[in-house]
Amino acid sequence: AEAIKDPTSVTFARHAGSNLLVVGAWEESALGVLTNAVVALAAQNPVGGTNSKQSQFYILDGTRPESPEAGTWQRIADSLPHKIEVGGPRDTVRIIGEVAAELARRESATDEDAPPIYVVIFNGGRFRDLRRGEDDFSFSSDRDKAPSPDKQWAEILRNGPAWGVHTLLWCDSYNNVTRMLDRVAMREFEMRVAFQMSAADSSSLLDNPAATRLRQHRGLFASEDLGTIEKFRPYGIPTGEWLEIVSKATS
């Protein structure tokens, strides 16, 4: 935090809208926010602890191969003893299908005590299977056709949080956000982080143009539930040495 207070944080509660959207071109800052979020969530439920609800994580990693940050998500997964599956754009259909099936099971069995699941989508612009379908306004339907990944993801966003299934999404631009989310789906993200962007994009995302004044290594966290906007400094990407300490502490 920039003010004298506890560190800026988010809480994933079991109610509608409890998803996190991160928007902005600064890949390093976005990666710092989301990797530290995953570590923190895992640390709250250490494997072998007294709490039997072990968090599960599905990481859809859209980091480009030429990026200096490539491989970071796999290092995070290798450092934590929790169930963490890392996949790329080609794994979208399978991973979203697995999560959607588990959500359907929880709803059918009224399993309100199931362990939390976190779906992290890093660099959403690369996941074409999750873009809004071109048939959204079509009047035709095929009941025998399997649901598309974008429709399954919309269901996860809408109903998942109440059953402990939460999404954390980073897009490098607001334009890519609109390719994935319509206005209704945007409402499912009550928690939003913005890095520097145009006044128009900031107003669309936060109802406030404040993100246009941000400099590097600064972000804004907006909570729709609390009606607050807070400036903060993102944590850096976890180092190998720190991940070794985390591994020992969570196993």
Side-chain angles (χ1 to χ4, degrees), residues 139-221:
F139 292 99
S140 62
S141 62
D142 185 351
R143 295 183 179 180
D144 296 327
K145 187 177 179 180
S148 59
D150 64 301
K151 298 293 191 299
Q152 290 178 313
W153 185 46
E155 182 75 10
I156 292 167
L157 290 176
R158 183 169 55 251
N159 297 329
W163 300 96
V165 183
H166 308 275
T167 296
L168 297 81
L169 166 66
W170 170 57
C171 286
D172 61 357
S173 68
Y174 187 73
N175 182 53
N176 277 328
V177 172
T178 59
R179 289 181 177 180
M180 302 181 74
L181 306 169
D182 58 21
R183 291 183 179 228
V184 174
M186 279 285 289
R187 295 174 191 160
E188 305 303 333
F189 289 90
E190 288 188 348
M191 301 176 290
R192 302 179 186 182
V193 168
F195 301 122
Q196 188 184 58
M197 60 183 64
S198 71
D201 288 348
S202 178
S203 295
S204 297
L205 182 68
L206 307 177
D207 291 327
N208 190 310
T212 192
R213 298 189 296 271
L214 291 173
R215 61 183 187 274
Q216 196 170 10
H217 305 306
R218 294 294 186 274
L220 290 175
F221 168 59

Side-chain angles (χ1 to χ4, degrees), residues 16-244:
S18 189
N19 300 302
L20 174 65
L21 173 62
V22 181
V23 185
W26 294 333
E27 180 181 25
E28 182 179 353
S29 294
L31 193 56
V33 167
L34 294 181
T35 52
N36 280 282
V38 167
V39 171
L41 291 166
Q44 292 176 53
N45 294 290
V47 172
T50 56
N51 189 344
S52 61
K53 296 182 181 179
Q54 304 303 336
S55 303
Q56 302 175 53
F57 300 88
Y58 291 89
I59 314 295
L60 283 171
D61 182 10
T63 308
R64 296 188 179 279
E66 67 274 14
S67 169
E69 318 305 342
T72 298
W73 281 112
Q74 191 59 56
R75 287 194 292 273
I76 297 291
D78 293 341
S79 299
L80 296 170
H82 298 68
K83 179 184 176 182
I84 303 178
E85 182 170 353
V86 180
R90 294 182 179 180
D91 302 299
T92 305
V93 175
R94 176 180 57 81
I95 287 179
I96 293 298
E98 287 181 15
V99 176
E102 171 59 16
L103 174 58
R105 185 201 67 77
R106 294 183 180 195
E107 292 177 318
S108 176
T110 321
D111 190 357
E112 299 178 351
D113 244 1
I117 293 176
Y118 300 97
V119 180
V120 179
I121 304 172
F122 190 76
N123 200 5
R126 295 198 65 203
F127 293 90
R128 295 180 178 273
D129 288 321
L130 297 182
R131 291 182 182 179
R132 289 186 288 155
E134 296 179 356
D135 62 342
D136 281 357
F137 301 101
S138 173
F139 292 99
S140 62
S141 62
D142 185 351
R143 295 183 179 180
D144 296 327
K145 187 177 179 180
S148 59
D150 64 301
K151 298 293 191 299
Q152 290 178 313
W153 185 46
E155 182 75 10
I156 292 167
L157 290 176
R158 183 169 55 251
N159 297 329
W163 300 96
V165 183
H166 308 275
T167 296
L168 297 81
L169 166 66
W170 170 57
C171 286
D172 61 357
S173 68
Y174 187 73
N175 182 53
N176 277 328
V177 172
T178 59
R179 289 181 177 180
M180 302 181 74
L181 306 169
D182 58 21
R183 291 183 179 228
V184 174
M186 279 285 289
R187 295 174 191 160
E188 305 303 333
F189 289 90
E190 288 188 348
M191 301 176 290
R192 302 179 186 182
V193 168
F195 301 122
Q196 188 184 58
M197 60 183 64
S198 71
D201 288 348
S202 178
S203 295
S204 297
L205 182 68
L206 307 177
D207 291 327
N208 190 310
T212 192
R213 298 189 296 271
L214 291 173
R215 61 183 187 274
Q216 196 170 10
H217 305 306
R218 294 294 186 274
L220 290 175
F221 168 59
S223 171
E224 186 175 305
D225 188 34
L226 300 176
T228 58
I229 296 181
E230 177 183 345
K231 185 183 287 188
F232 72 99
R233 290 174 291 179
Y235 286 119
I237 300 169
T239 63
E241 293 77 12
W242 189 69
L243 286 175
E244 288 183 13

